Amino acid sequence: MRLSIYIQENLEPILQEWEDFARSIQPPHRTMDVAELRDHAEEMLREIAKDLNCPRSDLERLARSKGDGPSRHSESAAEIHAALRLKSGFTIDQLVAEYRALRTSVLHLWSKRNKTATWFELEDITRFNEAVDQALAESVVQYSKMERQAQDIFIGILGHDIRTPLNAISIGAETLMRAESLDGKYIQLASRIFNSSARISGMVSDLLDFTKARFGMQISPHPINMGRLTEQLTEEIRSAYPERTIALTASGDLDGSWDSGRISQAICNVISNALQHGSQTEPVTVSLNGRLDEVVVTVHNFGMPIPEEEIEHIFEPMHRYSQIPNASQSSHSNLGLGLYIAREVAAAHGGTINVVSSNRSDGTTFTIRLPKRNI
């Protein structure tokens, strides 16, 4: 008997084994009924049996149609199963274990039938494994996708809810800093609270921008002058780093169409990165060069070069590096999202960002290229 026919004629014992295994690994806080335990198992088994009946050429074409291309219109039983298992509290390890148990159960039951050695057994087993692997892949992809979406929603809600008490802390600290009747040590303490709340606010903003960037960063370009914008930004950063020197030079035509808020964020992130990770005694130089169709922004700092093995990962989210000893333990430590956000801002404007850092004498240079008209 062909394996596809065996599956169709023995659905109940196969489903019973699936149900028993699912019950053994169900989350401890849940008591699932039969329908939940068997969730979409029958549909998946029927799809697998159907795949086994397809000629090899038709099967390959069917596998391609199950991809993420434009021809895809509906979710498979495996994808729906993954979504429901996630909502039920199953981990991805438990989801994978279900497929492993399904594979074992079907092949074990099939091997116990009255049979004779036939030429198609090896082919049926091979194709059955391929079909299970396909269903497993669809489930894992869907589970991971929904898990990321849930995490992004959580971060978004958390970031939104944190801002209200954080603003209250910041306003309270600022009020205390301006109180003339307070002792100097209390004013200094209020200043530390204010600066700490500002850093936390920056981390929250980075987290929210990180989640937005994963869905594609949205921008609203309008005519601005990059020279005036960057001059304003450097003045603000100088007030936050009064002990540091930030030199600004500009040349060429600096008018263009960009999202000023996003561009400000990108340039601030790169300058702050240079201040935090470069030499603490040498100046940071910001240069603007307006060309015919683009503006080039460079940020240079001296200090230990970025290790070669770090360069290719420098713009990855959550990646952190240090050019100075114990930089990660400084008061300026962060989540490592600044350069990633800067890259996404540049990309959203049709531009690029790269870094050159080969030796200590030349220092490190980040270069942002921004087309004057948004692409």
Side-chain angles (χ1 to χ4, degrees), residues 242-279:
E243 75 286 357
R244 302 296 299 277
T245 300
I246 305 173
L248 174 64
T249 63
S251 62
D253 179 11
L254 300 175
D255 290 320
S257 180
W258 304 283
D259 185 318
S260 59
R262 291 299 187 187
I263 293 297
S264 298
Q265 187 179 24
I267 294 175
C268 279
N269 286 352
V270 177
I271 296 175
S272 297
N273 180 80
L275 290 166
Q276 293 170 26
H277 299 294
S279 168

Side-chain angles (χ1 to χ4, degrees), residues 191-203 240-244 272 275-277 280 320 324-335:
S191 176
R192 290 176 181 173
I193 295 172
F194 180 81
N195 291 335
S196 295
S197 65
R199 282 197 299 275
I200 295 172
S201 180
M203 293 178 186
Y241 294 84
E243 75 286 357
R244 302 296 299 277
S272 297
L275 290 166
Q276 293 170 26
H277 299 294
Q280 302 297 287
R320 302 168 70 172
I324 57 175
N326 301 320
S328 62
Q329 301 172 8
S330 74
S331 62
H332 301 300
S333 60
N334 52 48
L335 296 173

Side-chain angles (χ1 to χ4, degrees), residues 151-224:
Q151 290 170 349
D152 290 340
I153 292 171
F154 171 78
I155 290 173
I157 294 172
L158 179 64
H160 181 272
D161 291 348
I162 281 177
R163 283 184 164 174
T164 299
L166 191 59
N167 286 337
I169 293 171
S170 179
I171 292 171
E174 188 175 8
T175 301
L176 291 174
M177 288 165 58
R178 294 178 178 178
E180 297 179 357
S181 59
L182 280 182
D183 187 88
K185 64 180 181 180
Y186 294 113
I187 294 177
Q188 185 179 21
L189 178 60
S191 176
R192 290 176 181 173
I193 295 172
F194 180 81
N195 291 335
S196 295
S197 65
R199 282 197 299 275
I200 295 172
S201 180
M203 293 178 186
V204 170
S205 295
D206 281 351
L207 277 174
L208 294 177
D209 286 327
F210 171 63
T211 59
K212 291 175 184 176
R214 289 169 64 172
F215 293 103
M217 183 170 287
Q218 301 298 313
I219 60 172
S220 301
H222 55 274
I224 60 174

Side-chain angles (χ1 to χ4, degrees), residues 14 38 47 53 70 96 170 186 188 233 242 249 254 294 306:
I14 296 173
R38 293 192 177 192
E47 286 183 3
N53 281 328
V96 172
S170 179
Y186 294 113
Q188 185 179 21
L233 293 175
T249 63
L254 300 175
E294 68 176 1
I306 303 171

